[in-house]
Every structure is written in structure tokens, then in C-alpha cells.
């Protein structure tokens, strides 16, 4: 199961962290997600049926520019 970490520069407060978690949990094929507010990042465990770039696009559509930092 792929795991991807995203850098989200606009992740600056708890409201933004909550909004990112809402977006991630609303996507199909997401198994687990965690937001790290101090590091301005999000970790996502997802199936191969959704690409990291598609997750980044969904976050960007919600107003959170996200760059793929690490995929594994």
C-alpha cells in the first residue's frame, strides 16, 4: 500500500489542519491520514488506485497547495 507525504506551506493553524484532514478523508481509496501541523505536512496511506498527484490536486482544489515530498 503506497504511503505519501505532502508538504503543505499554507498549513498554519488548527483550522487548516482540520480542513486538510476533511479533504483527505473525503477522497476514495485513502486508508489512513495524519496531519503534522508543526512540520506543515500530511502523511497519507492510500491504495494504488489513487495517485499522489491526484491527492495533491484535491488538496489544491480545496485551497491547500501541496507538494509531494516522499512516496513509498
Amino acid at each position: 500500500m503506497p504511503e505519501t507525504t505532502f508538504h503543505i506551506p499554507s498549513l498554519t493553524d488548527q483550522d487548516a489542519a482540520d480542513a486538510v484532514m476533511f479533504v483527505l478523508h473525503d477522497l476514495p481509496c485513502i486508508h489512513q491520514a495524519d496531519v503534522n501541523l508543526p512540520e506543515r505536512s500530511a502523511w497519507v496511506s492510500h491504495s494504488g488506485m489513487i495517485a499522489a498527484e491526484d491527492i495533491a490536486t484535491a488538496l489544491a482544489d480545496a485551497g491547500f497547495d501541496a507538494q509531494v515530498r516522499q512516496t513509498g
Side-chain angles (χ1 to χ4, degrees):
M1 189 171 331
E3 296 180 1
T4 306
T5 302
F6 299 90
H7 176 63
I8 308 171
S10 60
L11 194 62
T12 57
D13 58 31
Q14 190 60 50
D15 287 340
D18 293 343
V20 166
M21 282 296 288
F22 180 79
V23 170
L24 294 174
H25 284 291
D26 200 39
L27 292 172
C29 305
I30 302 295
H31 298 289
Q32 291 181 318
D34 187 44
V35 173
N36 186 322
L37 185 55
E39 291 186 13
R40 295 184 181 176
S41 67
W43 168 87
V44 182
S45 173
H46 54 97
S47 77
M49 296 185 71
I50 187 168
E53 293 77 17
D54 294 333
I55 298 169
T57 298
L59 289 167
D61 288 348
F64 299 98
D65 184 37
Q67 297 95 34
V68 176
R69 183 169 25 183
Q70 181 181 21
T71 301

